[in-house]
Amino acid sequence: MEFEQMKVQLHALISNKTLLQATISQPRQKSNDLKRVKLKPVEIRGDYMIQLEFQYERILKHENITIEDLSVKLDALFEQFRQVHAEFQEQTVQVQLSKKNKVLWKSDQNTTVKQVNLSHNRKKQYLLDDSRVHPFLVRLGVQTEDGKIKKQKYDKFKQINRFVEFIDDSLAHLPKDRTIRILDFGSGKSYLTFALYHYLKIEKGLDIHVTGLDLKKEVIEECNRIAADLQYEDLQFLVGDINDFNEETAVDMVVTLHACDVATDMALARAVRWDAKVILSVPCCQHELNRQLQVPALSIMTQHGLVKERFAALATDSIRAELLSLVGYDTQLLEFIDMENTPKNILIRAYHTGKKPTSEQRLKYDEFVRFLNAKPFLENELQDLLL
Ligand SMILES: C[S@@+](CC[C@H](N)C(=O)[O-])C[C@H]1O[C@@H](n2cnc3c(N)ncnc32)[C@H](O)[C@@H]1O
């Protein structure tokens, strides 16, 4: 089969609306930042579309396109990749391209016809099962006594579920032979702190100890009352400033959810000092870099306050991720939740590896912060650990 014919055939198969899922992989260049692209059908406002999930080195991006637009997209993708694995209802197709685009097309009939699932609109299965009554959610006012998630609390419910999914994914990085110590910095009303305690201790039966820390005395007192009422014995809440926090000497996981401005950086710095195995942090508002940014080359963007604010937030999270990499963490910036729920939708995930950075990595970082005229709080905190 010729290369062009292969693309037409693949497009024709996808146009039949029998696609279950497909993966386009094997980059032609190893250095390609885009590693693979997954395709699946979705229904959006009644229209059949294809959702593309672009897996980059550090992030995932999504795009929904019509079948008509797919053929141009496939042309572009085959300039970058040499392999396709596509499952259709009745057959599974494997395509391998040589460097010169010689095509190897293999197709196997499925033994049973599978059902297409346009799962964009499927009811979400939450880790905290919303068909059950959870006493802590009732007590926190998220759920009614008869188990309904209150409408005005639904966004928070989605956020804590998503966060718990990330925690669940990171369990392999945590110790199995002793108590896992977890800190939630800037815990506030502590929806997340209670949720993670409930999920890990009550549902999974793990040996954990959880501390929530916040500046607000009354809020912390109320959280301690709730923990006592629920008999959550290994959950404690303390009043204090992250920056002065010395009560723990060894912490395995540090989490933050919307800790204001540089409070996120304080938490990241604390976590690094403890060599915490796992850091999961969803930053909040960002003012530090926004104040420092004076870069003529960026003025077309930064003349607009809104764009400047977003740019500063994105650059700050990139700087945070890079600093964590430079001090021995495998770090990724991931989509936390959809923009409709909250625009604060980046999660920093860092797993401790102890891997030393290269001097090029450090140079690249220095160039970036110099260009932005940035003086990051976190860099200052980690100065002695940087190469
Ligand atoms: C936006 S709230 C988020 C609360 C909670 N994590 C949540 O997502 O529901 C931010 C919290 O961080 C706390 N905070 C800010 N700076 C802090 C600091 N330096 N030390 C401790 N807590 C801090 C605030 O008091 C506030 O409760």
Side-chain angles (χ1 to χ4, degrees):
M1 185 187 294
E2 295 295 317
F3 180 51
E4 291 305 320
Q5 196 191 346
M6 177 280 292
K7 288 192 279 185
V8 171
Q9 187 140 336
L10 196 61
H11 186 257
L13 276 173
I14 295 175
S15 304
N16 286 342
K17 302 190 179 176
T18 59
L19 177 73
L20 303 172
Q21 57 173 353
T23 304
I24 301 181
S25 59
Q26 205 176 342
R28 289 178 190 265
Q29 305 280 343
K30 279 229 159 58
S31 56
N32 215 16
D33 194 29
L34 179 60
K35 298 301 172 201
R36 66 185 66 78
V37 181
K38 291 189 174 175
L39 285 74
K40 68 170 191 173
V42 286
E43 193 178 273
I44 296 174
R45 288 182 218 99
D47 291 332
Y48 180 92
M49 298 185 87
I50 299 294
Q51 181 173 84
L52 303 165
E53 181 181 275
F54 297 90
Q55 297 190 356
Y56 290 87
E57 182 81 43
R58 292 179 171 214
I59 52 166
L60 285 181
K61 283 187 188 162
H62 294 93
E63 186 183 352
N64 299 320
I65 59 171
T66 59
I67 296 272
E68 292 73 51
D69 290 341
L70 184 65
S71 107
V72 177
K73 203 57 134 190
L74 285 178
D75 283 345
L77 288 173
F78 283 118
E79 286 186 10
Q80 291 188 62
F81 295 97
R82 295 206 284 129
Q83 197 176 66
V84 184
H85 177 91
E87 283 182 48
F88 296 93
Q89 275 185 305
E90 295 183 1
Q91 60 174 322
T92 299
V93 172
Q94 184 83 25
V95 181
Q96 184 67 48
L97 300 173
S98 75
K99 283 189 183 148
K100 292 189 175 156
N101 287 337
K102 267 186 73 185
V103 179
L104 190 69
W105 176 290
K106 193 167 167 282
S107 151
D108 291 315
Q109 291 303 310
N110 296 337
T111 42
T112 53
V113 175
K114 298 179 184 168
Q115 286 307 304
V116 175
N117 178 8
L118 302 178
S119 63
H120 204 66
N121 294 335
R122 190 180 50 176
K123 189 174 180 318
K124 172 92 177 121
Q125 282 298 310
Y126 292 112
L127 277 185
L128 302 172
D129 183 357
D130 57 350
S131 62
R132 280 170 42 207
V133 181
H134 299 291
F136 82 95
L137 285 178
V138 176
R139 201 48 221 277
L140 292 173
V142 174
Q143 215 175 18
T144 59
E145 301 260 345
D146 55 357
K148 288 204 179 60
I149 305 297
K150 291 185 190 168
K151 209 166 166 228
Q152 66 277 30
K153 293 287 181 193
Y154 214 88
D155 280 350
K156 201 75 206 170
F157 177 71
K158 271 176 81 175
Q159 279 176 32
I160 58 175
N161 261 290
R162 182 78 175 122
F163 210 116
V164 172
E165 281 175 22
F166 282 106
I167 290 172
D168 198 47
D169 287 346
S170 67
L171 290 179
H173 296 261
L174 294 167
K176 293 178 183 56
D177 53 347
R178 60 173 172 81
T179 306
I180 302 167
R181 301 193 78 83
I182 303 175
L183 235 146
D184 181 359
F185 276 133
S187 53
K189 289 192 181 156
S190 302
Y191 301 105
L192 172 66
T193 339
F194 280 101
L196 77 89
Y197 185 89
H198 166 86
Y199 181 70
L200 296 179
K201 184 87 173 185
I202 314 289
E203 296 208 5
K204 296 210 97 157
L206 297 180
D207 179 10
I208 58 168
H209 185 277
V210 180
T211 304
L213 182 90
D214 204 282
L215 292 168
K216 295 177 191 151
K217 187 165 174 283
E218 290 78 31
V219 177
I220 286 293
E221 281 169 359
E222 173 63 3
C223 289
N224 273 325
R225 269 194 295 277
I226 300 175
D229 292 349
L230 294 166
Q231 298 181 338
Y232 284 2
E233 285 166 7
D234 292 308
L235 174 61
Q236 62 166 355
F237 293 92
L238 302 173
V239 183
D241 190 318
I242 304 167
N243 229 13
D244 309 326
F245 185 71
N246 297 314
E247 307 233 348
E248 298 269 355
T249 50
V251 171
D252 302 297
M253 170 159 23
V254 169
V255 300
T256 73
L257 177 55
H258 300 152
C260 327
D261 199 12
V262 291
T264 294
D265 300 288
M266 293 175 190
L268 297 178
R270 291 276 135 187
V272 170
R273 296 281 162 201
W274 287 315
D275 279 341
K277 300 271 174 289
V278 175
I279 304 173
L280 298 172
S281 173
V282 177
C284 191
C285 49
Q286 202 290 314
H287 305 300
E288 189 192 38
L289 181 61
N290 201 10
R291 279 192 298 268
Q292 296 167 355
L293 256 184
Q294 301 285 350
V295 186
L298 293 176
S299 63
I300 286 178
M301 289 175 80
T302 53
Q303 65 181 324
H304 307 286
L306 177 71
V307 177
K308 186 177 178 206
E309 191 185 310
R310 291 195 186 164
F311 177 82
L314 291 171
T316 299
D317 288 338
S318 310
I319 288 172
R320 287 169 172 152
E322 200 54 31
L323 282 167
L324 290 172
S325 300
L326 290 171
V327 295
Y329 280 83
D330 177 9
T331 312
Q332 292 187 300
L333 296 182
L334 300 164
E335 187 169 65
F336 172 51
I337 208 148
D338 46 273
M339 286 291 256
E340 292 141 46
N341 182 289
T342 166
K344 300 164 194 169
N345 72 343
I346 285 187
L347 177 133
I348 304 170
R349 182 175 73 187
Y351 294 144
H352 188 254
T353 62
K355 194 169 157 222
K356 297 264 176 289
T358 60
S359 43
E360 286 80 47
Q361 233 181 309
R362 179 61 210 263
L363 275 176
K364 231 171 161 184
Y365 169 81
D366 284 344
E367 265 175 34
F368 186 61
V369 287
R370 207 173 319 122
F371 171 67
L372 292 180
N373 190 36
K375 293 171 190 60
F377 181 97
L378 185 59
E379 179 190 320
N380 198 36
E381 290 291 302
L382 300 177
Q383 202 59 260
D384 57 308
L385 300 176
L386 294 164
L387 211 82

